[in-house]
């Protein structure tokens, strides 16, 4: 794989909350980039985030661990998190760790 970067595109809308579209390789650096992007959002009126992982082409254990840590942190802070587009291999790992 030539490109091992992860791109996160953030958008928000009233009533829908924050939307993060994730694309690329979810490794440790990519997971930290996703966490930074999530935490950079100004305090929203409602704590909702939808993370679209449909364009994540590959992940490793470090990236999955970063994602799980982020999800745990958001849960602890009272955010409503929805994951969409999760590929089966990553979903199995998330199911095991939750």
């Amino acid at each position: 794989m030539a490109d091992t970067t992860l791109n996160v595109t953030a958008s928000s809308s009233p009533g829908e909350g924050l939307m993060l579209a994730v694309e690329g390789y979810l490794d440790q650096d990519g997971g930290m980039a996703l966490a930074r992007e999530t935490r950079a959002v100004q305090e929203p009126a409602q704590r909702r985030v939808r993370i679209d992982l449909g364009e994540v082409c590959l992940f490793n254990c470090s990236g999955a661990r970063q994602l799980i840590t982020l999800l745990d942190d958001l849960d602890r802070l009272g955010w409503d998190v929805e994951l969409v587009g999760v590929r089966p291999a990553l979903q199995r790992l998330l199911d095991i760790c939750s």
Side-chain angles (χ1 to χ4, degrees):
M1 176 191 254
D3 187 9
T4 60
T5 60
L6 186 90
N7 296 310
V8 181
T9 305
S11 61
S12 63
S13 63
E16 294 296 317
L18 175 64
M19 172 65 173
L20 298 174
V22 183
E23 177 183 4
Y25 180 42
L26 182 62
D27 60 358
Q28 183 169 352
D29 291 338
M32 290 188 309
L34 176 58
R36 270 193 311 275
E37 190 69 39
T38 304
R39 292 179 180 118
V41 174
Q42 298 297 324
E43 186 67 26
Q46 61 180 10
R47 293 177 174 235
R48 286 186 72 173
V49 61
R50 184 174 188 214
I51 303 174
D52 184 350
L53 299 170
E55 296 300 319
V56 170
C57 59
L58 188 62
F59 72 94
N60 66 21
C61 292
S62 295
R65 184 176 5 190
Q66 291 289 331
L67 177 60
I68 291 165
T69 299
L70 174 62
L71 296 173
D72 288 344
D73 290 348
L74 292 172
D75 183 56
R76 194 172 45 256
L77 292 170
W79 283 67
D80 176 26
V81 179
E82 178 185 6
L83 295 179
V84 296
V86 183
R87 295 182 190 241
L90 181 54
Q91 185 62 59
R92 282 191 299 276
L93 183 62
L94 293 173
D95 290 343
I96 290 169
C97 294
S98 61

